[in-house]
Each structure stands twice: as C-alpha cells, then as structure tokens.
Amino acid sequence: MKVATVSVPAAPPAAASILEAVHVTQRFGGLVAVDDVSLSIAAGEVLGLIGPNGAGKSTLFDVLAGERPPSAGRVLLRGQSVERQPAEARLGAGLGRTFQIPRPFAALSLLENVMLGAPRHPGERLWPNLLASGRVAAAERLARGRAMEILSFLDLAPLAREPARVLSGGQRKLLELARVLMAEPAVVLLDEPAAGVHPALLETIIARLATLARGGLAVLVIEHHLGLIAELCGRAVVMAEGRVLCSGTPAEVLADPRVAEAYVGRPAA
C-alpha cells in the first residue's frame, strides 16, 4: 500500500538531543530483553524504531516512557536523568506517548477527552476553585479553545461533541494523539500508529505528524509498516535480539542484508 509522500528531513547533526537512551539494559530474570541500547532523537526529527517481533522495541519504548525503570543505563530528557521518574512526571517534563490500542474515555466527548490532557489546569485543585473562580473559568476557556484547535488540526472537529465510543480505530488513534498534544510535549512516542488504520486515514496521520515535526516536535515511532517508516522518518534504528543492529536513513537500513536476515532468519539472496 502506498502512503502519502511527505518531506521530513533528518535533524541536523548539531541539533541538541531531546531524548536519549544511554546504554539501556532491561532484564526480566535471566532474560535480557534490551541489551546495552543507546539512541537519541532531536527536535524536529522523526525517528523510526523497527525490527522483528521479540527484538525488544516495545520494552525499550516502555523504559523511555516511564512504564518501568531500566535494569541499567540512563534515560535523558532535555539533558536531565528521568529513568527513575514515572510516566506522569515525564509527561509533565515534555514526553508523551500513545499506545498501539488507544484508551479513550468512551462515554466522554472527544472535546472532553482532549481537555483531560491540559497541563497544570487550576481547576484540578481545590483552593483555586474556591478563591479564584474567575481565573479558573478563564483557564477553562483557554483549554477548550486549544482542544478545539487540536481537534481541527487532526480533522476531528466535526465530532468534537460526540462520545469517543463512536470513533473508528484510526480515529481513536488520532484522538489519543490529540490528548497527548494537549500536554504540549517536546517529544512523542508513537506505538504502531498505522496498525488497523484505513489507508485514507493513515495518510492523514502521516501528513499531520510531518507538520508537527516541521514545527519542532520530536517523534519516535515503533512501526511494522515499513512503507510508513520509509515515507515519514528521516532516520531509522533497527533492533534485533535486544540490541541495535544498525541505523541510518530508511533506505540504508532497509537495504542492509543484516536487516533482511533478522526479519526472515536467513541471509538475503
């Protein structure tokens, strides 16, 4: 399936890294799922993370996102060590993530779902509500306006007041991305955004991600859809058996015979 052609250049070599994994290892008993992996992503870069099933991609993603601390190594967000911080703290520091299976609040409207992602909302605390109700109301209006802007950007505004349960699988992925964007992240981790998505909607997702990257957002994508990686990412990292096998442009890594061997279990012809 052909996907939309976009132009997302790799970040320049001098660009400061937003997110780094530094010699990250993750063990589960005697199993080493991630073995001494280092990678980095800069502002405005779209980095693809690919590899066969069992390569360790999802485990590394969970470590980067704060779902679990690494057994060894460091995770740096804007130069600060965050490997012991939970996902909520990392979101507040600028790192958001989506999941392969979206998790919207089905009974809430799309607008309400997105507004839940608003950072530092004064209405979440008791005393501002009691002592500064006008300020809280103003913040609520600003959050509502921003949420509508994000929904419009992702072509979901016509459904803003519909419950999330009416959405298709692809629309749910867009809604989850909208909620993450509401938190104003510097980097977003996307877990298989193409999985189960209609080709027409996939083109929308790709185009919007490209626009966000041109605006400076760093995007790290786990994806089995190699066409998406080739079209969207300026650089790709290939994992196999818990380690980084190779990295480079999508064309370079997809032409590497080691990558074909990792996927099919034998050297490429």
Side-chain angles (χ1 to χ4, degrees), residues 53-93:
N53 290 332
K57 306 182 300 296
S58 294
T59 301
L60 178 62
F61 231 51
D62 286 345
V63 170
L64 294 175
E67 302 295 328
R68 58 170 54 89
S71 303
R74 303 175 69 199
V75 177
L76 304 179
L77 179 58
R78 291 170 164 161
Q80 301 297 312
S81 293
V82 296
E83 63 270 6
R84 301 301 162 187
Q85 292 184 4
E88 296 80 6
R90 296 189 203 189
L91 179 61

Side-chain angles (χ1 to χ4, degrees), residues 181-205:
L181 293 177
M182 190 69 182
E184 302 173 5
V187 57
V188 173
L189 312 183
L190 300 179
D191 192 349
E192 297 205 31
V197 176
H198 187 278
L201 193 54
L202 179 57
E203 291 190 1
T204 298
I205 293 174

Side-chain angles (χ1 to χ4, degrees), residues 23-48:
H23 300 296
V24 166
T25 294
Q26 182 65 59
R27 302 183 185 90
F28 299 100
L31 173 66
V32 181
V34 176
D35 189 0
D36 192 29
V37 169
S38 296
L39 59 80
S40 64
I41 181 170
E45 183 179 16
V46 184
L47 175 65

